[in-house]
Amino acid sequence: MPLWRLSGSARSVLDPELHRSLGYVRCIVTDCRAVLVPRFGGPEILEVSPNVKVPDLKPHEVLVRARAVSINPLDTHMRSGYGRSIFEPLLPLILGRDISGEVAAVGSSVRSLRVGQEVFGALHPTAVRGTYADYAILSEDELTTKPASVTHVEASAIPFAALTAWRALKSTARIASGQRVLVLGGGAVGLSAIQLAVASGCHVSTSCGSYSPGSQSLERVLAAGAEQAVDYTSENLELAIKGQFDAVLDTIGIPDTERIGINFLKRGGHYMTLQGEAASVADRYGLALGLPMATALLLKKQMQYRYSHGIEYWWTYMRADSEGLHEIQKLVEAGKLKIPVDKTFPITQVRQAHEAKDKKLIPGKVVLEVD
Ligand SMILES: NC(=O)c1ccc[n+]([C@@H]2O[C@H](COP(=O)([O-])OP(=O)(O)OC[C@H]3O[C@@H](n4cnc5c(N)ncnc54)[C@H](OP(=O)(O)O)[C@@H]3O)[C@@H](O)[C@H]2O)c1
């Protein structure tokens, strides 16, 4: 007897073999459609493959029937070879971090989710089997139930960006009510950070611009609750922004924004950049040499800024955080956290979608619909 109904272009075994004694559930879906990166390159290397193997679930894992997966900058960077020191030996990869869909099967120790529930969540940055697929596998703590008030498309735009902002502001800087937060850059992470900070009772200033044609980031950051928004394409940020801040989240992370961000901090404040150099240094020198070099570089900067400015300097990376994801879910449910989706493509048009992001034809979030 099949335990659940299949949809999409997946092949299955009809009688799922339960290997509970071995600690895992043999997955009902044996293979499915997925977008593969067989080698690094431009959008043209993406392959929609009809029969990619779906591995058996480990005890803590959940099989999700994808309905929508959003495109993050990490996806286009990974496709182009960013992180090759980690990913090259593991090719072909499946891209994608964010997902919204339905639970199709659960591992033997999963307690918080059940088959049929609508869920959303995100994989960690180094996952090799991503979410651009009919069926994706995430661990239980990378998922939570999707609020009924948002569609799969809307939900899929949120978790990776919001968890990155959560990691910076809540886990690292531990922002508290009444504090001042400066967010540099008005993309998905910037918008998430503004909304998380506002929900925590902070006062938020932000810089954003019309980096891409058609960008509405100024209107969007103000709608997200920023008290001050400076367009860096027409104003001098250093003159326009007033006062000092407890935390700066720099989503752009170029030398200029780093300098400005650090100079705006109070003593004891936290500067967090999303452009940590661990992966790029490892790509340049190999994992064995690159990772210790990157650690040494970070420690040097941390000591330098502690001595020169009395501030804490961090490279922020997205991490799975079950507690953070539940708080994000509550904010989404309350209508206090949203990321506008500018365009959707069917997953079969993934090359066109990546090309549009590469050429900056669409400034905001792009989501792939999976049906
Ligand atoms: N370390 C991590 O774990 C992690 C996690 C997520 C994202 N990231 C990185 O953080 C950055 C922001 O991510 P996101 O998801 O918010 O991206 P996004 O939604 O594509 O937004 C990026 C925004 O940055 C601004 N920008 C300004 N100068 C830019 C430049 N030279 N190049 C690109 N963008 C520029 C643009 O907004 P304005 O026009 O309003 O300035 C743009 O909309 C990306 O570089 C991404 O790779 C890192």
Side-chain angles (χ1 to χ4, degrees), residues 137-155:
I137 295 175
L138 290 88
S139 70
E140 184 179 14
D141 61 6
E142 290 171 329
L143 289 165
T144 189
T145 50
K146 177 184 82 63
S149 54
V150 291
T151 63
H152 284 301
V153 166
E154 290 163 337

Side-chain angles (χ1 to χ4, degrees), residues 179-183 193-194 197-198 202-206 225-229 245:
Q179 289 190 332
R180 297 192 72 211
V181 174
L182 175 62
V183 178
I194 295 166
V198 168
C202 296
H203 305 282
V204 185
S205 296
T206 181
E227 290 171 19
Q228 185 185 18
F245 294 83

Side-chain angles (χ1 to χ4, degrees), residues 54-96:
V54 178
D56 292 333
L57 293 182
K58 297 194 180 79
H60 62 285
E61 287 179 337
V62 177
L63 182 72
V64 181
R65 169 70 175 106
R67 296 295 172 195
V69 299
S70 90
I71 298 183
N72 281 288
L74 182 62
D75 304 347
T76 51
H77 295 163
M78 274 172 70
R79 189 209 69 223
S80 309
Y82 174 81
R84 66 170 63 235
S85 56
I86 302 168
F87 296 118
E88 195 153 35
L90 304 168
L91 289 171
L93 308 174
I94 302 177
L95 290 179

Side-chain angles (χ1 to χ4, degrees), residues 71-77 82 125 160-161 163-165 184-192 206-212 215-218 221 231-233 250-254 257 273-276 315-319 339 357 360 362-365:
I71 298 183
N72 281 288
L74 182 62
D75 304 347
T76 51
H77 295 163
Y82 174 81
F160 191 78
L163 280 166
T164 306
L184 300 173
V189 181
L191 281 173
S192 302
T206 181
S207 78
C208 59
S210 18
Y211 172 71
S212 312
S215 164
Q216 298 169 3
S217 50
L218 204 67
V221 295
D231 182 346
Y232 59 72
T233 59
D250 185 353
T251 73
I252 298 161
I254 55 176
T257 53
T273 173
L274 298 187
Q275 313 300 339
W315 291 345
T316 292
Y317 294 101
M318 180 272 184
R319 288 253 181 103
I339 309 286
K357 285 312 293 177
K360 306 194 189 324
I362 304 165
K365 262 283 169 203

